[in-house]
Coordinates of all heavy atoms in Angstrom, one line a residue:
M1 N 0.9 -1.1 0.0 CA 0.1 0.1 -0.1 C 0.9 1.2 0.0 O 2.0 1.2 0.6 CB -1.0 -0.1 1.3 CG -2.2 0.8 1.1 SD -3.2 0.1 -0.1 CE -4.6 1.1 0.0
S2 N 0.4 2.3 -0.8 CA 1.1 3.6 -0.7 C 1.2 4.2 0.7 O 0.4 4.2 1.5 CB 0.4 4.3 -1.6 OG 1.1 5.7 -1.7
K3 N 2.3 5.0 0.8 CA 2.5 5.7 2.0 C 2.0 7.1 1.9 O 2.2 8.0 2.7 CB 3.9 5.7 2.4 CG 4.6 4.5 2.7 CD 4.1 3.9 4.0 CE 4.9 2.7 4.4 NZ 4.4 2.0 5.5
R4 N 1.3 7.5 0.8 CA 0.7 8.8 0.6 C -0.3 9.1 1.6 O -1.0 8.2 1.9 CB 0.2 9.0 -0.9 CG 1.3 8.8 -2.0 CD 0.8 9.1 -3.3 NE -0.2 8.1 -3.6 CZ -1.1 7.9 -4.6 NH1 -1.2 9.1 -5.5 NH2 -1.9 7.2 -4.8
K5 N -0.5 10.4 1.9 CA -1.4 10.7 2.8 C -2.5 11.5 2.2 O -2.4 12.2 1.1 CB -0.8 11.7 3.9 CG 0.1 11.0 4.8 CD 0.4 11.9 6.0 CE 1.6 11.1 6.7 NZ 1.4 11.1 8.1
F6 N -3.8 11.2 2.5 CA -5.0 11.8 2.0 C -5.8 12.3 3.2 O -5.7 11.9 4.4 CB -5.8 10.8 1.4 CG -5.0 10.1 0.1 CD1 -4.5 8.9 0.1 CD2 -5.1 10.7 -1.2 CE1 -3.7 8.3 -0.9 CE2 -4.4 10.3 -2.2 CZ -3.8 9.1 -2.1
P7 N -6.7 13.3 2.8 CA -7.6 13.8 3.9 C -8.5 12.8 4.4 O -9.1 11.9 3.7 CB -8.3 15.0 3.2 CG -8.1 14.9 1.7 CD -6.9 13.8 1.5
Q8 N -8.8 12.9 5.7 CA -9.8 12.0 6.3 C -11.2 12.4 5.9 O -11.5 13.7 5.7 CB -9.7 12.2 7.9 CG -8.4 11.6 8.5 CD -8.5 10.1 8.4 OE1 -7.6 9.4 7.6 NE2 -9.5 9.4 9.0
A9 N -12.0 11.3 5.8 CA -13.5 11.6 5.4 C -14.2 11.4 6.9 O -14.3 10.3 7.4 CB -14.0 10.7 4.4
P10 N -14.7 12.5 7.4 CA -15.3 12.3 8.8 C -16.5 11.4 8.7 O -17.1 11.4 7.7 CB -15.6 13.8 9.2 CG -15.6 14.5 8.0 CD -14.7 13.8 6.9
D11 N -16.9 10.8 9.9 CA -18.1 10.0 10.0 C -19.3 10.8 9.5 O -20.3 10.3 9.1 CB -18.2 9.5 11.3 CG -17.2 8.5 11.7 OD1 -16.5 7.9 10.8 OD2 -17.0 8.2 12.9
S12 N -19.4 12.2 9.8 CA -20.5 13.0 9.6 C -20.8 13.0 8.1 O -21.9 13.1 7.6 CB -20.3 14.3 10.1 OG -19.1 15.0 9.5
D13 N -19.8 12.8 7.2 CA -20.0 12.7 5.7 C -20.8 11.5 5.5 O -21.8 11.6 4.6 CB -18.6 12.7 4.9 CG -17.9 14.0 5.1 OD1 -18.4 15.0 5.6 OD2 -16.8 14.1 4.4
Q14 N -20.5 10.4 6.1 CA -21.3 9.2 5.7 C -22.6 9.2 6.3 O -23.5 8.9 5.6 CB -20.5 7.9 6.2 CG -21.1 6.6 6.1 CD -21.3 6.1 4.5 OE1 -20.5 6.7 3.8 NE2 -22.4 5.4 4.2
Q15 N -22.8 9.8 7.5 CA -24.0 10.0 8.1 C -24.9 10.9 7.1 O -26.1 10.6 6.9 CB -23.9 10.6 9.4 CG -23.4 9.7 10.5 CD -23.0 10.4 11.8 OE1 -23.1 11.7 11.9 NE2 -22.6 9.7 12.7
S16 N -24.4 11.9 6.5 CA -25.2 12.8 5.6 C -25.6 12.1 4.4 O -26.8 12.1 3.9 CB -24.2 14.0 5.3 OG -24.0 14.8 6.4
R17 N -24.9 11.3 3.8 CA -25.0 10.5 2.6 C -26.2 9.5 3.0 O -27.2 9.5 2.3 CB -23.8 9.8 2.1 CG -22.8 10.6 1.3 CD -21.8 9.9 0.6 NE -21.0 9.0 1.5 CZ -19.9 9.6 2.1 NH1 -19.5 10.7 1.9 NH2 -19.1 8.7 2.9
E18 N -26.1 8.9 4.1 CA -27.0 7.9 4.5 C -28.5 8.6 4.7 O -29.5 8.0 4.4 CB -26.6 7.1 5.7 CG -25.6 6.1 5.3 CD -24.8 5.5 6.5 OE1 -25.4 5.6 7.7 OE2 -24.0 4.7 6.5
A19 N -28.4 9.7 5.3 CA -29.6 10.5 5.6 C -30.3 10.8 4.3 O -31.5 10.8 4.3 CB -29.3 11.6 6.5
K20 N -29.6 11.4 3.3 CA -30.1 11.8 2.0 C -30.8 10.6 1.4 O -31.9 10.7 0.8 CB -29.2 12.6 1.2 CG -28.7 13.9 1.7 CD -27.8 14.5 0.7 CE -27.4 15.9 1.2 NZ -26.6 16.7 0.2
Q21 N -30.1 9.4 1.3 CA -30.7 8.2 0.7 C -31.9 7.8 1.3 O -32.8 7.3 0.8 CB -29.7 7.1 0.8 CG -28.4 7.4 -0.1 CD -27.3 6.2 0.1 OE1 -27.2 5.6 1.1 NE2 -26.3 6.4 -0.8
F22 N -31.9 8.0 2.8 CA -33.1 7.5 3.4 C -34.4 8.5 3.1 O -35.4 7.9 2.9 CB -32.8 7.5 5.0 CG -34.0 7.4 5.8 CD1 -34.5 5.9 6.0 CD2 -34.8 8.3 6.4 CE1 -35.6 5.7 6.8 CE2 -36.0 8.1 7.1 CZ -36.4 6.7 7.4
I23 N -34.0 9.7 3.0 CA -35.2 10.8 2.7 C -35.7 10.4 1.3 O -36.9 10.4 1.1 CB -34.5 12.1 2.9 CG1 -34.4 12.5 4.4 CG2 -35.6 13.1 2.2 CD1 -35.7 12.5 5.2
E24 N -34.8 10.3 0.3 CA -35.2 9.9 -1.0 C -35.9 8.7 -1.0 O -36.9 8.6 -1.9 CB -34.0 9.9 -1.9 CG -33.3 11.3 -2.1 CD -32.0 11.3 -2.8 OE1 -31.7 10.3 -3.5 OE2 -31.4 12.5 -3.0
H25 N -35.5 7.7 -0.3 CA -36.3 6.4 -0.3 C -37.6 6.5 0.3 O -38.6 5.9 -0.3 CB -35.4 5.2 0.3 CG -36.0 3.9 0.4 ND1 -36.2 3.1 -0.7 CD2 -36.7 3.4 1.4 CE1 -36.9 2.1 -0.4 NE2 -37.1 2.3 0.9
L26 N -37.7 7.2 1.4 CA -38.9 7.4 2.2 C -40.0 8.0 1.3 O -41.3 7.7 1.3 CB -38.7 8.2 3.5 CG -39.8 8.5 4.3 CD1 -40.1 7.2 5.0 CD2 -39.3 9.3 5.4
F27 N -39.7 9.1 0.5 CA -40.6 9.9 -0.3 C -40.9 9.3 -1.7 O -41.7 9.9 -2.5 CB -40.3 11.3 -0.3 CG -40.5 11.8 1.1 CD1 -39.5 12.1 2.0 CD2 -41.8 12.3 1.5 CE1 -39.8 12.7 3.3 CE2 -42.1 12.9 2.6 CZ -41.0 13.1 3.6
H28 N -40.0 8.2 -2.1 CA -40.2 7.7 -3.4 C -41.3 6.9 -3.5 O -41.7 6.2 -2.5 CB -38.9 6.9 -3.7 CG -39.0 6.3 -5.2 ND1 -38.8 7.1 -6.3 CD2 -39.3 5.1 -5.5 CE1 -39.0 6.2 -7.2 NE2 -39.2 4.9 -6.9
P29 N -42.2 6.8 -4.5 CA -42.1 7.5 -5.7 C -43.0 8.7 -6.0 O -43.2 9.2 -7.1 CB -42.7 6.3 -6.8 CG -43.7 5.7 -5.9 CD -43.3 5.8 -4.4
R30 N -43.5 9.3 -5.0 CA -44.4 10.4 -5.0 C -43.7 11.8 -5.1 O -44.4 12.7 -5.4 CB -45.3 10.5 -3.7 CG -46.1 9.2 -3.5 CD -47.6 9.5 -3.4 NE -48.1 10.8 -3.1 CZ -49.0 11.4 -3.6 NH1 -49.7 11.0 -4.8 NH2 -49.5 12.6 -3.1
F31 N -42.4 11.8 -4.9 CA -41.6 13.0 -5.0 C -40.3 12.7 -5.8 O -39.8 11.7 -5.9 CB -41.1 13.5 -3.7 CG -42.3 14.0 -2.9 CD1 -43.0 13.2 -2.0 CD2 -42.5 15.4 -2.8 CE1 -44.2 13.7 -1.2 CE2 -43.6 15.8 -1.9 CZ -44.3 15.1 -1.2
I32 N -39.9 13.8 -6.6 CA -38.7 13.8 -7.2 C -37.6 14.4 -6.4 O -37.8 15.6 -5.9 CB -38.7 14.6 -8.6 CG1 -39.9 14.1 -9.6 CG2 -37.3 14.6 -9.2 CD1 -40.0 15.1 -10.7
P33 N -36.6 13.7 -6.0 CA -35.5 14.3 -5.2 C -34.7 15.3 -5.9 O -34.3 14.9 -7.0 CB -34.7 13.2 -4.6 CG -35.0 12.1 -5.6 CD -36.3 12.3 -6.3
R34 N -34.3 16.4 -5.4 CA -33.4 17.4 -6.0 C -32.3 17.8 -4.9 O -32.8 18.0 -3.9 CB -34.2 18.6 -6.5 CG -35.4 18.4 -7.4 CD -35.6 19.4 -8.4 NE -36.8 19.1 -9.2 CZ -36.8 18.5 -10.2 NH1 -35.8 18.0 -10.7 NH2 -37.9 18.3 -11.0
T35 N -31.1 17.8 -5.3 CA -30.1 18.1 -4.3 C -29.7 19.7 -4.4 O -29.5 20.2 -5.6 CB -28.8 17.1 -4.6 OG1 -29.3 15.9 -4.5 CG2 -27.7 17.5 -3.6
E36 N -29.5 20.2 -3.3 CA -29.1 21.6 -3.3 C -27.6 21.5 -3.1 O -27.0 20.9 -2.1 CB -29.7 22.2 -2.0 CG -29.3 23.8 -1.9 CD -30.0 24.6 -3.0 OE1 -31.2 24.2 -3.5 OE2 -29.8 25.8 -3.0
T37 N -26.9 22.1 -4.1 CA -25.4 22.0 -4.1 C -24.6 23.2 -3.9 O -23.4 23.1 -3.5 CB -24.8 21.1 -5.2 OG1 -25.2 22.0 -6.4 CG2 -25.3 19.7 -5.4
D38 N -25.2 24.3 -4.1 CA -24.6 25.6 -4.1 C -24.6 26.3 -2.6 O -25.5 26.7 -2.4 CB -25.1 26.5 -5.1 CG -25.0 26.2 -6.5 OD1 -24.0 25.4 -6.8 OD2 -25.7 26.4 -7.4
L39 N -23.4 26.2 -2.0 CA -23.5 26.9 -0.7 C -24.7 27.2 0.0 O -25.0 28.3 0.3 CB -22.7 28.3 -1.0 CG -21.3 28.2 -1.6 CD1 -20.8 29.6 -2.0 CD2 -20.3 27.5 -0.7
D40 N -25.4 26.2 0.3 CA -26.7 26.5 0.9 C -26.5 26.9 2.5 O -25.5 26.8 3.0 CB -27.5 25.1 1.0 CG -26.9 24.1 1.9 OD1 -27.5 24.1 3.2 OD2 -26.2 23.2 1.6
K41 N -27.5 27.6 2.9 CA -27.5 28.1 4.1 C -28.6 27.4 5.1 O -29.0 28.0 6.0 CB -27.8 29.7 4.1 CG -26.9 30.5 3.4 CD -25.5 30.4 4.0 CE -24.5 31.2 3.3 NZ -23.1 30.7 3.2
G42 N -28.8 26.2 4.7 CA -29.9 25.4 5.5 C -30.7 24.5 4.7 O -31.5 23.7 5.2
V43 N -30.6 24.6 3.4 CA -31.5 23.7 2.6 C -30.5 22.6 2.1 O -29.5 22.8 1.3 CB -32.1 24.5 1.4 CG1 -32.8 23.3 0.4 CG2 -33.1 25.5 1.9
D44 N -30.7 21.4 2.4 CA -29.9 20.2 1.9 C -30.5 19.5 0.8 O -29.8 19.0 0.0 CB -29.7 19.3 3.1 CG -28.9 19.7 4.3 OD1 -28.0 20.4 4.0 OD2 -29.3 19.5 5.4
G45 N -31.9 19.8 0.5 CA -32.5 19.2 -0.7 C -33.9 19.7 -0.8 O -34.5 20.3 0.0
I46 N -34.4 19.3 -1.9 CA -35.8 19.6 -2.3 C -36.5 18.5 -2.8 O -35.9 17.7 -3.6 CB -35.7 20.8 -3.4 CG1 -34.8 22.0 -3.1 CG2 -37.1 21.2 -3.8 CD1 -34.5 22.9 -4.1
L47 N -37.8 18.3 -2.5 CA -38.6 17.3 -3.0 C -39.6 17.9 -3.7 O -40.4 18.7 -3.2 CB -39.1 16.4 -1.9 CG -38.0 15.6 -1.0 CD1 -38.7 15.0 0.3 CD2 -37.4 14.5 -1.8
E48 N -39.8 17.5 -5.1 CA -40.9 18.0 -5.8 C -42.1 17.0 -5.9 O -41.8 15.8 -6.2 CB -40.5 18.3 -7.2 CG -41.6 18.9 -8.1 CD -41.1 19.5 -9.4 OE1 -40.0 19.6 -9.7 OE2 -41.9 19.7 -10.3
L49 N -43.3 17.3 -5.6 CA -44.5 16.5 -5.6 C -44.8 16.1 -7.1 O -44.9 16.9 -7.9 CB -45.6 17.2 -5.0 CG -47.0 16.5 -4.9 CD1 -46.8 15.2 -4.0 CD2 -48.1 17.4 -4.5
L50 N -45.1 14.8 -7.2 CA -45.6 14.2 -8.4 C -47.1 14.1 -8.3 O -47.5 13.6 -7.2 CB -44.9 12.9 -8.8 CG -43.4 13.0 -9.0 CD1 -42.8 11.6 -9.4 CD2 -43.4 13.7 -10.5
E51 N -47.8 14.3 -9.3 CA -49.3 14.1 -9.3 C -49.6 13.3 -10.6 O -49.5 13.8 -11.6 CB -50.1 15.4 -9.1 CG -51.4 15.2 -8.9 CD -52.1 16.5 -8.6 OE1 -51.8 17.0 -7.4 OE2 -52.9 17.0 -9.5
D52 N -50.1 12.1 -10.4 CA -50.4 11.3 -11.6 C -49.2 11.2 -12.5 O -49.4 11.2 -13.7 CB -51.7 11.7 -12.3 CG -52.9 11.7 -11.4 OD1 -53.1 10.8 -10.6 OD2 -53.8 12.7 -11.4
G53 N -48.1 11.1 -11.9 CA -46.8 10.9 -12.8 C -46.4 12.1 -13.4 O -45.4 12.3 -14.2
C54 N -46.9 13.3 -13.0 CA -46.6 14.6 -13.6 C -45.9 15.5 -12.5 O -46.4 15.5 -11.5 CB -47.7 15.4 -14.2 SG -48.5 14.5 -15.5
A55 N -44.8 16.2 -12.9 CA -44.2 17.0 -12.0 C -45.1 18.3 -11.8 O -45.6 18.9 -12.7 CB -42.9 17.6 -12.5
T56 N -45.4 18.7 -10.5 CA -46.4 19.8 -10.2 C -45.7 21.1 -10.0 O -46.4 22.2 -9.9 CB -47.1 19.4 -8.9 OG1 -46.1 19.4 -7.8 CG2 -47.8 18.1 -9.0
G57 N -44.3 21.2 -9.7 CA -43.8 22.5 -9.4 C -43.9 22.8 -7.9 O -43.3 23.8 -7.3
M58 N -44.7 22.0 -7.0 CA -44.8 22.2 -5.7 C -43.6 21.4 -5.0 O -43.3 20.3 -5.2 CB -46.1 21.5 -5.2 CG -47.3 22.3 -5.7 SD -48.9 21.7 -4.9 CE -49.3 20.4 -6.1
R59 N -42.9 22.2 -4.2 CA -41.7 21.6 -3.7 C -41.6 21.7 -2.2 O -42.2 22.7 -1.6 CB -40.4 22.4 -4.3 CG -40.4 22.1 -5.7 CD -39.2 22.8 -6.5 NE -39.2 22.5 -7.8 CZ -38.1 22.7 -8.6 NH1 -37.1 23.3 -8.1 NH2 -38.1 22.4 -9.9
L60 N -40.9 20.8 -1.5 CA -40.7 20.8 -0.1 C -39.2 21.0 0.1 O -38.5 20.2 -0.4 CB -41.2 19.5 0.4 CG -40.8 19.2 1.8 CD1 -41.7 19.8 2.8 CD2 -40.9 17.6 2.2
F61 N -38.8 21.9 0.8 CA -37.4 22.2 1.3 C -37.2 21.4 2.5 O -37.9 21.6 3.4 CB -37.1 23.7 1.2 CG -37.3 24.3 -0.1 CD1 -38.6 24.8 -0.4 CD2 -36.2 24.6 -0.9 CE1 -38.7 25.5 -1.7 CE2 -36.4 25.3 -2.1 CZ -37.6 25.7 -2.4
Y62 N -36.0 20.8 2.6 CA -35.6 20.1 3.9 C -34.1 20.3 4.3 O -33.4 20.6 3.4 CB -36.0 18.6 3.9 CG -35.2 17.8 2.9 CD1 -33.9 17.3 3.4 CD2 -35.6 17.6 1.7 CE1 -33.2 16.5 2.4 CE2 -34.9 16.9 0.7 CZ -33.7 16.2 1.1 OH -32.9 15.6 0.3
Q63 N -34.0 20.3 5.5 CA -32.6 20.3 6.2 C -32.4 19.1 6.9 O -33.2 18.6 7.7 CB -32.5 21.6 7.0 CG -31.0 21.6 7.5 CD -30.8 22.8 8.4 OE1 -31.7 23.2 9.0 NE2 -29.6 23.3 8.5
L64 N -31.3 18.5 6.6 CA -30.9 17.2 7.4 C -30.0 17.6 8.5 O -29.2 18.4 8.5 CB -30.2 16.1 6.5 CG -31.0 15.7 5.3 CD1 -30.1 14.8 4.4 CD2 -32.2 15.0 5.7
K65 N -30.2 16.8 9.7 CA -29.3 16.9 10.8 C -29.0 15.3 11.1 O -30.0 14.5 11.3 CB -30.0 17.4 12.1 CG -30.4 18.9 11.9 CD -29.1 19.7 11.9 CE -29.4 21.2 11.8 NZ -28.3 22.0 11.5
S66 N -27.8 15.1 11.2 CA -27.4 13.7 11.6 C -26.3 13.6 12.7 O -25.6 14.6 12.9 CB -26.7 13.0 10.2 OG -25.6 13.6 10.0
V67 N -26.7 12.7 13.7 CA -25.9 12.5 14.7 C -25.6 11.0 14.9 O -26.1 10.2 14.4 CB -26.6 12.9 16.0 CG1 -26.9 14.4 16.0 CG2 -27.9 12.2 16.2
G68 N -24.4 10.8 15.5 CA -24.0 9.3 15.7 C -24.9 8.6 16.6 O -25.2 7.4 16.4
H69 N -25.5 9.3 17.5 CA -26.5 8.6 18.5 C -27.5 9.7 18.9 O -27.3 10.8 19.2 CB -25.7 8.1 19.8 CG -26.6 7.6 20.8 ND1 -27.1 6.3 20.7 CD2 -27.0 8.0 21.9 CE1 -27.9 6.1 21.7 NE2 -27.8 7.1 22.5
A70 N -28.8 9.2 19.1 CA -29.9 10.0 19.5 C -30.5 9.4 20.5 O -30.9 8.2 20.6 CB -30.8 10.4 18.3
N71 N -31.0 10.3 21.6 CA -31.8 9.7 22.6 C -33.4 9.9 22.3 O -33.8 10.8 21.6 CB -31.7 10.7 23.9 CG -30.1 10.5 24.4 OD1 -29.7 9.5 24.5 ND2 -29.7 11.6 24.9
R72 N -33.9 8.8 22.5 CA -35.4 8.7 22.1 C -36.3 9.3 23.4 O -35.9 9.0 24.4 CB -35.8 7.2 21.9 CG -35.2 6.7 20.7 CD -35.9 5.4 20.1 NE -35.2 5.0 18.9 CZ -35.7 5.2 17.7 NH1 -36.5 6.0 17.6 NH2 -35.0 4.8 16.7
N73 N -37.4 9.9 22.8 CA -38.3 10.3 23.8 C -39.2 9.2 24.3 O -39.1 8.0 23.7 CB -39.3 11.4 23.2 CG -38.6 12.6 22.5 OD1 -37.7 13.1 23.2 ND2 -38.9 13.1 21.4
S74 N -39.9 9.3 25.4 CA -40.6 8.3 25.9 C -41.7 7.6 25.0 O -42.0 6.5 25.1 CB -41.6 8.8 27.2 OG -42.4 9.8 26.9
D75 N -42.3 8.3 23.9 CA -43.0 7.7 23.0 C -42.2 7.1 21.8 O -42.9 6.7 20.8 CB -44.0 8.8 22.4 CG -43.4 9.9 21.6 OD1 -42.1 9.9 21.6 OD2 -44.1 10.8 21.1
G76 N -40.9 7.1 21.8 CA -40.0 6.4 20.8 C -39.7 7.3 19.7 O -38.8 7.1 18.9
S77 N -40.2 8.5 19.8 CA -39.7 9.6 18.7 C -38.5 10.1 19.1 O -37.9 9.9 20.2 CB -40.7 10.8 18.5 OG -41.0 11.4 19.7
I78 N -37.9 10.9 18.1 CA -36.7 11.6 18.3 C -36.8 13.1 18.0 O -37.3 13.3 17.0 CB -35.5 11.0 17.5 CG1 -35.2 9.6 17.7 CG2 -34.2 11.8 17.6 CD1 -34.2 8.8 16.9
S79 N -36.4 14.0 19.0 CA -36.4 15.4 18.7 C -35.1 15.9 18.7 O -34.2 15.5 19.3 CB -37.2 16.0 20.0 OG -38.5 15.4 20.1
H80 N -35.1 17.0 18.0 CA -33.7 17.7 17.7 C -34.1 19.2 17.5 O -34.8 19.6 16.5 CB -32.9 17.2 16.6 CG -31.6 17.9 16.4 ND1 -30.6 17.5 17.1 CD2 -31.2 18.8 15.7 CE1 -29.5 18.3 16.9 NE2 -29.9 19.1 15.9
S81 N -33.5 20.1 18.3 CA -33.7 21.5 18.2 C -32.9 22.0 17.0 O -31.8 21.5 16.8 CB -33.3 22.3 19.4 OG -34.0 21.8 20.5
I82 N -33.5 22.9 16.2 CA -32.8 23.7 15.2 C -32.8 25.2 15.5 O -33.8 25.6 16.2 CB -33.3 23.4 13.8 CG1 -34.7 24.0 13.7 CG2 -33.2 21.9 13.6 CD1 -35.2 23.9 12.2
D83 N -31.8 25.9 15.1 CA -31.9 27.4 15.2 C -33.0 27.9 14.6 O -33.3 27.6 13.5 CB -30.5 27.9 14.8 CG -30.1 29.3 15.2 OD1 -31.1 30.2 14.9 OD2 -29.1 29.6 15.6
T84 N -33.6 29.0 15.2 CA -34.8 29.6 14.5 C -34.4 30.3 13.1 O -35.1 30.4 12.3 CB -35.4 30.8 15.4 OG1 -34.5 31.5 15.8 CG2 -36.0 30.1 16.6
T85 N -33.1 30.7 13.1 CA -32.7 31.3 11.7 C -32.8 30.3 10.6 O -33.3 30.4 9.4 CB -31.2 31.8 11.8 OG1 -30.4 30.9 12.1 CG2 -31.2 33.1 12.7
N86 N -32.4 29.0 10.9 CA -32.6 27.9 9.8 C -34.1 27.7 9.6 O -34.5 27.5 8.4 CB -32.0 26.6 10.4 CG -30.5 26.7 10.7 OD1 -29.9 27.8 10.7 ND2 -29.9 25.5 10.6
F87 N -35.0 27.7 10.6 CA -36.4 27.5 10.4 C -37.0 28.6 9.6 O -37.7 28.5 8.6 CB -37.1 27.5 11.8 CG -38.5 27.1 11.6 CD1 -39.0 25.9 11.3 CD2 -39.4 28.1 11.9 CE1 -40.3 25.5 11.1 CE2 -40.8 27.8 11.7 CZ -41.3 26.6 11.3
N88 N -36.5 29.8 9.8 CA -37.1 31.0 9.1 C -36.5 30.9 7.6 O -37.3 31.2 6.7 CB -36.6 32.2 9.7 CG -37.1 32.7 11.0 OD1 -38.2 32.1 11.4 ND2 -36.4 33.4 11.8
Y89 N -35.3 30.5 7.4 CA -34.8 30.3 6.1 C -35.5 29.3 5.4 O -36.0 29.5 4.2 CB -33.3 30.0 6.2 CG -32.6 29.8 4.8 CD1 -32.2 30.9 4.1 CD2 -32.4 28.6 4.3 CE1 -31.5 30.9 3.0 CE2 -31.8 28.6 3.0 CZ -31.3 29.7 2.3 OH -30.7 29.6 1.1
L90 N -35.8 28.2 6.0 CA -36.6 27.1 5.2 C -37.9 27.5 4.9 O -38.5 27.2 3.9 CB -36.6 25.9 6.1 CG -35.4 25.0 6.2 CD1 -35.5 23.9 7.2 CD2 -35.0 24.2 5.0
G91 N -38.6 28.2 5.9 CA -39.8 28.6 5.6 C -40.1 29.7 4.5 O -41.2 29.9 3.9
S92 N -39.1 30.4 4.3 CA -39.1 31.5 3.3 C -38.6 31.0 1.9 O -38.6 31.9 1.0 CB -38.4 32.7 3.7 OG -37.0 32.5 3.8
S93 N -38.1 29.9 1.8 CA -37.5 29.2 0.5 C -38.6 29.1 -0.5 O -39.6 28.5 -0.3 CB -36.7 28.0 0.7 OG -35.7 28.2 1.7
Q94 N -38.4 29.8 -1.6 CA -39.4 29.7 -2.7 C -38.5 29.4 -4.0 O -37.6 30.0 -4.3 CB -40.2 30.9 -2.9 CG -41.0 31.3 -1.8 CD -42.1 30.3 -1.6 OE1 -42.7 29.8 -2.5 NE2 -42.5 30.0 -0.3
P95 N -39.1 28.5 -4.8 CA -38.3 28.2 -6.1 C -38.5 29.4 -7.0 O -39.6 30.1 -6.9 CB -39.1 27.0 -6.7 CG -40.4 26.8 -5.9 CD -40.2 27.6 -4.6
S96 N -37.4 29.7 -7.8 CA -37.6 30.9 -8.7 C -38.5 30.5 -9.9 O -38.7 29.3 -10.3 CB -36.3 31.2 -9.3 OG -35.6 30.1 -9.9
A97 N -39.2 31.4 -10.5 CA -40.2 31.3 -11.6 C -39.5 31.2 -12.8 O -38.5 31.8 -13.1 CB -41.2 32.4 -11.5

């Protein structure tokens, strides 16, 4: 094996990839997944609603948060706080016409 050094790929990168794959699988086939790649400030992806096999232009913006371990609530759900600036940003995101 080569002795060359390469940058480490942190666990969070793998967690992010797995989370995106999960979201895309969860909403398939009713949504078209779209990836946000340009210096986003809180939008990790977009899901466009399909209706009778047709793209509607109606989109859902989402932000992913991944952690190595999460504590479950008493009802089995998982909660995670997000900064209100992120929530405001997601709520005001509109696709361009």
